[in-house]
Amino acid sequence: MTKKLRVGILGATGMVGQRFIQLLRNHPQFEITALAASDRSQGKTFQEACTWRLPGEMPSSVKAMTVVAPEPPLDCELIFSSLPGDIARESEGAFARAGFPVISNSSAFRMDADVPLLIPEINHEHLALIDVQRKQSGQQGYIVTNPNCSTIMLALALAPLQQKFGVSSVVATTMQALSGAGYPGVASLDILGNVIPYIAKEEEKMEEETQKLLRMEEVLHTKVIGQAPAVTMVARAVRRGTPVPRSRLDLAEREPRDVQAAPRRG
């Protein structure tokens, strides 16, 4: 039987941290051995510190774990981080300097030149930046990030078009779920029968991250990014332009095959 990698989760009591725990339950390659969160949770068992918000019960394997501070050392080999961006940079950087691999859902390091911003289906070559990062920092640990949730789906759609035709312009509109605001999120009287038309810094994230992922010029323009009264969905309307006009027939023949050829996410 293959030995599982021991995983520590930063921000374990939050919504994203809980999702990490849920997804890693009975995982064939990873086992959770450490949970870290803010001051108010430290020293408590996870069951005491966390109000479980996801469907189903809290996994029994983590209930009795003691929540510790999000700082090294931690009893694990690999870090998954769901820390808020305003504190992630210091904490994640400390773990990388201490020799830990850090897989981050935070925005803190996404745009650093030597940090991979990764969607494996379209830019796995970004992993070569790990060696650059290690060489420049002189440390064995490293940080790998994933993009903003809306950026991920936009980039997956644009990647085959960028490869085949090039993309000269993109206009994107998104309506995002309330869960993106964390818990308790948006007050019910502000959202029932309503749409919140602006999420701070979301437009910049989509533009900058997509350009880094696909090595595009500044062609992305996000017009509206808001929140709608739904729990977990994100809706998008995207219009893109290519440098050379293509007929409907040409696109119909090419695009479906390109998109279907992309590997499925596990």
Side-chain angles (χ1 to χ4, degrees):
M1 182 177 178
T2 304
K3 180 183 176 182
K4 294 185 179 183
L5 282 172
R6 295 181 297 117
V7 171
I9 298 176
L10 310 185
T13 58
M15 292 292 289
V16 179
Q18 291 181 34
R19 187 68 73 182
F20 270 130
I21 291 169
Q22 185 185 63
L23 293 172
L24 291 172
R25 182 179 189 174
N26 299 323
H27 198 282
Q29 295 174 299
F30 304 109
E31 63 175 335
I32 301 170
T33 57
L35 300 173
S38 62
D39 294 350
R40 65 178 178 271
S41 298
Q42 292 165 26
K44 301 176 182 178
T45 66
F46 187 70
Q47 188 172 22
E48 294 171 335
C50 176
T51 301
W52 190 256
R53 302 288 181 187
L54 301 184
E57 294 185 0
M58 177 187 294
S60 58
S61 58
V62 300
K63 288 181 178 180
M65 286 187 182
T66 300
V67 180
V68 298
E71 57 189 32
L74 211 57
D75 181 25
C76 62
E77 302 165 274
L78 174 68
I79 297 293
F80 286 142
S81 175
S82 62
L83 292 173
D86 56 347
I87 62 173
R89 192 165 188 93
E90 179 180 352
S91 182
E92 293 174 4
F95 276 101
R97 290 190 294 273
F100 289 85
V102 179
I103 313 303
S104 175
N105 187 64
S106 166
S107 62
F109 285 94
R110 286 176 186 162
M111 298 309 298
D112 283 32
D114 61 354
V115 173
L117 181 63
L118 188 66
I119 301 176
E121 292 87 345
I122 64 175
N123 72 330
H124 58 84
E125 67 277 2
H126 270 214
L127 289 174
L129 289 173
I130 292 175
D131 291 335
V132 176
Q133 189 182 147
R134 282 172 158 174
K135 184 176 181 180
Q136 291 181 349
S137 65
Q139 62 198 26
Q140 284 302 302
Y142 56 86
I143 298 170
V144 176
T145 64
N146 63 263
N148 176 280
C149 56
S150 291
T151 302
I152 292 173
M153 301 312 297
L154 176 64
L156 283 167
L158 290 178
L161 301 177
Q162 169 76 347
Q163 182 180 9
K164 285 289 184 182
F165 311 123
V167 175
S168 59
S169 63
V170 179
V171 177
T173 301
T174 75
M175 284 290 120
Q176 302 184 17
L178 296 176
S179 57
Y183 190 90
V186 181
S188 62
L189 292 181
D190 290 337
I191 194 61
L192 290 176
N194 192 16
V195 168
I196 296 175
Y198 178 71
I199 306 173
K201 299 183 180 179
E202 286 290 291
E203 295 178 358
E204 293 85 351
K205 287 177 185 177
M206 281 189 70
E207 293 171 7
E208 294 169 358
E209 292 172 16
T210 303
Q211 288 155 15
K212 179 176 179 178
L213 284 161
L214 302 180
R215 299 179 181 178
M216 298 168 64
E217 300 298 327
E218 296 185 12
V219 299
L220 178 63
H221 302 284
T222 50
K223 292 298 185 183
V224 177
I225 293 187
Q227 285 182 305
V231 177
T232 57
M233 71 88 197
V234 177
R236 300 168 189 82
V238 180
R239 179 166 57 96
R240 59 95 185 96
T242 57
V244 179
R246 300 279 178 171
S247 70
R248 288 182 177 271
L249 177 61
D250 191 16
L251 287 174
E253 289 176 347
R254 291 171 181 264
E255 289 182 10
R257 289 200 301 269
D258 294 336
V259 173
Q260 290 169 11
R264 293 185 177 181
R265 295 178 70 89

